[in-house]
């Protein structure tokens, strides 16, 4: 496989650009339905990438001849297939030890997330296992997961800490994320989520204090020293009886003041007013929002904060879905994430898009925008990733199907329609 970032893809029926310029960082409202798609009856479309960036899109006959002769140019014959941007997973918890398959039975029998947690399971189970695990074991597991994600078309991933809750394990998790970011082909935007839950033996106020006065300053010091380059975001599980508004605000503001982007869990299980808080403090993104209020929707639309919706969690926990249609109508920028974690074990963004269409009543173009350009925007990459335009990073998925909608339509069989995954102009996965 080539690693020069020089790649020519030919014989395409469709190129799903999403937008056709580098300036548009997101789409909202009605614009989410009108994506830019190039189509050729004679399947003569081509994409050229040089040094990892998109250089040319259009009919092959218009290709600049000098670049076709590049000695290091890799080629793909798409045989009349289509191409979409690499998928961007806006929310995941991919670093943990131990699975929670045993709890799935409890949940099927009707136990809620909070009831499982009260019975000694849930996040505290994962926290115990993750504290016991070595960093090498966490890295090895995350690498396998990242490889599966790439196979499913994810080229950029938001990845959280949050199963340590104390300093040593939170740092171990962020270092594990950094190792995978350095070694693996997947691109990672790491998030410090030391306020994922209140650790046993502590209180909400005590945990908020230790995060603000110790953990955030130490992490930012490591980042400045070049040791945690992937660390970009600060997160809190803002929820009734977990981190309520006051302590959430304190932690998020401390993270923001230290240079991290605010991107947090809000209004999942109760309408606490997390959406309003995020809008007020200039959050870049908020996730979940199953219980968002009308005021919260208006505040997010006005502030331009991205709503990262998580269809697999709402599906598996049988939560009322977030009001995605009302949010789109109000002009809120909608993104999608897998929320991959031991409680909701789904890493496939094509499946996430399918669930968004069926359960959140989004159209296929809306789901694709949310899983590409808008989730790139939720990670500060809306001008460089998430669309196929000249100058953007060449993150691409070549599909065997002539029409791109098959990536959503074929539930749980999307892998068979993914022919090749390209990260920064290099082939990182090829269906055999
Ligand atoms: Zn989450």
């Amino acid at each position: 496989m080539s690693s020069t970032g020089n790649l020519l893809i030919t014989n395409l029926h469709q190129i799903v650009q999403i937008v056709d310029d580098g300036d548009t960082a997101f789409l909202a409202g009605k614009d989410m339905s009108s994506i830019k798609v190039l189509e050729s009856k004679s399947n003569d479309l081509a994409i050229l990438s040089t040094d990892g960036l998109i250089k040319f899109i259009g009919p092959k006959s218009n290709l600049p001849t000098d670049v076709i002769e590049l000695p290091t140019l890799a080629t793909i014959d798409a045989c009349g297939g289509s191409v979409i941007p690499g998928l961007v997973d806006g929310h995941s918890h991919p670093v943990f030890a131990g699975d929670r398959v045993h709890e799935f039975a409890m949940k099927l029998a009707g136990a809620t997330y909070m009831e499982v947690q009260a019975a000694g399971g849930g996040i505290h189970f994962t926290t115990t296992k993750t504290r016991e695990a070595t960093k090498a074991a966490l890295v090895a597991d995350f690498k396998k997961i990242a490889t599966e994600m790439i196979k499913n078309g994810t080229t950029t991933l938001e990845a959280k800490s949050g199963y340590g809750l104390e300093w040593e394990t939170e740092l171990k998790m962020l270092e594990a994320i950094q190792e995978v970011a350095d070694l693996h082909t997947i691109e990672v935007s790491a998030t410090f989520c030391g306020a994922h839950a209140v650790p046993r033996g502590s209180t909400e106020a005590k945990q908020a204090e230790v995060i603000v006065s110790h953990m955030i300053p130490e992490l930012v010091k490591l980042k400045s020293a070049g040791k945690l380059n992937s660390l970009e975001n600060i997160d809190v599980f803002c929820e009734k009886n977990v981190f309520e508004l006051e302590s959430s605000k304190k932690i998020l503001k401390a993270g923001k003041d230290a240079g991290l982007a605010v991107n947090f869990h809000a209004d999942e299980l109760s309408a606490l007013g997390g959406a309003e808080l995020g809008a007020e403090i200039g959050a870049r993104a908020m996730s979940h929002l199953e219980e968002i209020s009308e005021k919260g929707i208006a505040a997010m639309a006005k502030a331009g904060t991205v709503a990262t919706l998580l269809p697999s969690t709402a599906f598996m926990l049988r939560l009322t879905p977030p009001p995605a249609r009302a949010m789109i109508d109000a002009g809120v920028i909608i993104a999608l994430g897998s929320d991959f974690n031991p409680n909701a074990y789904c890493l496939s963004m094509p499946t996430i898009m399918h669930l968004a269409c069926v359960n959140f009543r989004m159209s296929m173009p809306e789901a694709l925008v949310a899983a590409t350009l808008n989730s790139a925007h939720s990670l500060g990459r809306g001008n460089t990733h998430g669309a196929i335009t000249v100058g953007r990073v060449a993150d691409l998925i070549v599909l065997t199907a002539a029409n791109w909608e098959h990536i959503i339509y074929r539930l749980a069989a999307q892998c068979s329609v993914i022919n090749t995954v390209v990260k920064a102009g290099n082939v990182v996965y090829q269906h055999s």
Side-chain angles (χ1 to χ4, degrees):
M1 286 185 191
S2 152
S3 58
T4 60
N6 299 333
L7 176 70
L8 175 64
I9 307 172
T10 56
N11 300 323
L12 284 158
H13 179 67
Q14 284 183 337
I15 297 175
V16 183
Q17 289 189 273
I18 306 289
V19 292
D20 60 2
D21 64 271
D23 298 330
T24 307
F26 62 86
L27 293 175
K30 284 196 176 67
D31 292 343
M32 285 184 82
S33 306
S34 49
I35 58 174
K36 180 91 181 167
V37 181
L38 302 179
E39 191 168 303
S40 155
K41 282 203 177 100
S42 55
N43 302 336
D44 73 339
L45 293 173
I47 298 180
L48 175 75
S49 133
T50 56
D51 297 325
L53 300 179
I54 294 166
K55 175 96 172 174
F56 169 87
I57 305 154
K60 194 180 171 203
S61 50
N62 294 351
L63 263 172
T65 44
D66 54 328
V67 272
I68 303 180
E69 278 139 33
L70 275 173
T72 55
L73 190 68
T75 55
I76 294 173
D77 179 351
C79 303
S82 52
V83 67
I84 62 172
L87 300 172
V88 180
D89 184 342
H91 183 129
S92 85
H93 305 257
V95 180
F96 56 85
D99 62 53
R100 302 216 307 249
V101 67
H102 56 285
E103 288 176 9
F104 192 49
M106 286 174 73
K107 282 180 275 180
L108 292 178
T112 64
Y113 179 84
M114 286 306 192
E115 283 163 1
V116 171
Q117 195 160 311
I123 190 168
H124 295 301
F125 175 85
T126 304
T127 300
T128 304
K129 294 279 178 197
T130 307
R131 285 177 180 174
E132 288 165 5
T134 63
K135 184 165 73 184
L138 295 178
V139 169
D141 281 355
F142 182 21
K143 269 201 242 108
K144 283 185 210 153
I145 288 160
T147 300
E148 284 303 310
M149 287 174 161
I150 287 269
K151 272 192 204 171
N152 282 273
T154 299
T155 46
T156 302
L157 171 73
E158 187 271 1
K160 300 175 195 297
S161 71
Y163 292 125
L165 309 176
E166 35 77 328
W167 170 245
E168 287 74 19
T169 312
E170 286 297 315
L171 179 62
K172 180 172 71 180
M173 288 184 76
L174 288 167
E175 286 174 345
I177 293 171
Q178 185 62 51
E179 265 190 52
V180 173
D182 290 340
L183 294 171
H184 203 276
T185 48
I186 206 161
E187 180 171 339
V188 182
S189 172
T191 300
F192 171 52
C193 190
H196 198 191
V198 176
R200 288 217 172 97
S202 186
T203 62
E204 176 191 352
K206 266 197 221 161
Q207 181 70 356
E209 181 52 34
V210 76
I211 287 172
V212 167
S213 58
H214 174 62
M215 296 194 203
I216 291 175
E218 287 300 315
L219 290 172
V220 170
K221 243 189 260 169
L222 289 168
K223 184 177 163 71
S224 318
K227 288 181 181 160
L228 287 177
N229 288 326
S230 61
L231 178 61
E232 298 177 0
N233 318 292
I234 177 86
D235 193 353
V236 167
F237 191 72
C238 177
E239 185 58 59
K240 212 169 156 189
N241 301 324
V242 190
F243 291 93
E244 299 209 4
L245 294 177
E246 196 186 325
S247 49
S248 295
K249 187 173 179 178
K250 183 175 162 182
I251 296 166
L252 295 170
K253 282 194 84 172
K256 194 178 181 200
D257 291 347
L260 300 174
V262 174
N263 187 332
F264 69 107
H265 293 68
D267 296 338
E268 176 182 356
L269 305 170
S270 56
L272 194 67
E276 292 90 323
L277 169 70
E280 178 199 323
I281 63 173
R284 186 191 268 164
M286 282 176 263
S287 299
H288 281 292
L289 303 162
E290 284 84 355
E291 300 292 335
I292 188 171
S293 67
E294 272 177 39
K295 263 190 175 167
I297 294 176
M300 284 188 76
K302 191 160 174 242
T305 310
V306 180
T308 305
L309 304 183
L310 310 171
S312 60
T313 326
F315 172 71
M316 288 183 218
L317 296 182
R318 295 180 177 141
L319 304 175
T320 308
R325 287 257 55 94
M327 294 168 93
I328 291 171
D329 291 347
V332 178
I333 305 162
I334 306 290
L336 289 171
S338 68
D339 197 18
F340 175 75
N341 76 84
N343 181 48
Y345 205 103
C346 172
L347 53 73
S348 161
M349 286 299 285
T351 301
I352 295 297
M353 289 192 283
H354 186 104
L355 292 174
C357 291
V358 176
N359 291 343
F360 294 0
R361 300 181 184 277
M362 289 167 68
S363 68
M364 288 193 278
E366 286 171 343
L368 187 67
V369 169
T372 54
L373 186 66
N374 286 3
S375 40
H377 182 56
S378 78
L379 303 177
R381 289 163 168 78
N383 291 115
T384 51
H385 295 59
I388 304 177
T389 65
V390 171
R392 287 184 190 248
V393 177
D395 290 355
L396 309 164
I397 309 176
V398 183
L399 305 176
T400 54
N403 297 310
W404 71 269
E405 290 92 340
H406 283 262
I407 187 78
I408 298 180
Y409 163 65
R410 298 189 196 183
L411 176 61
Q414 291 99 344
C415 274
S416 64
V417 87
I418 295 178
N419 181 272
T420 309
V421 179
V422 174
K423 176 68 199 169
N426 297 314
V427 172
V428 291
Y429 169 73
Q430 203 141 30
H431 190 70
S432 51

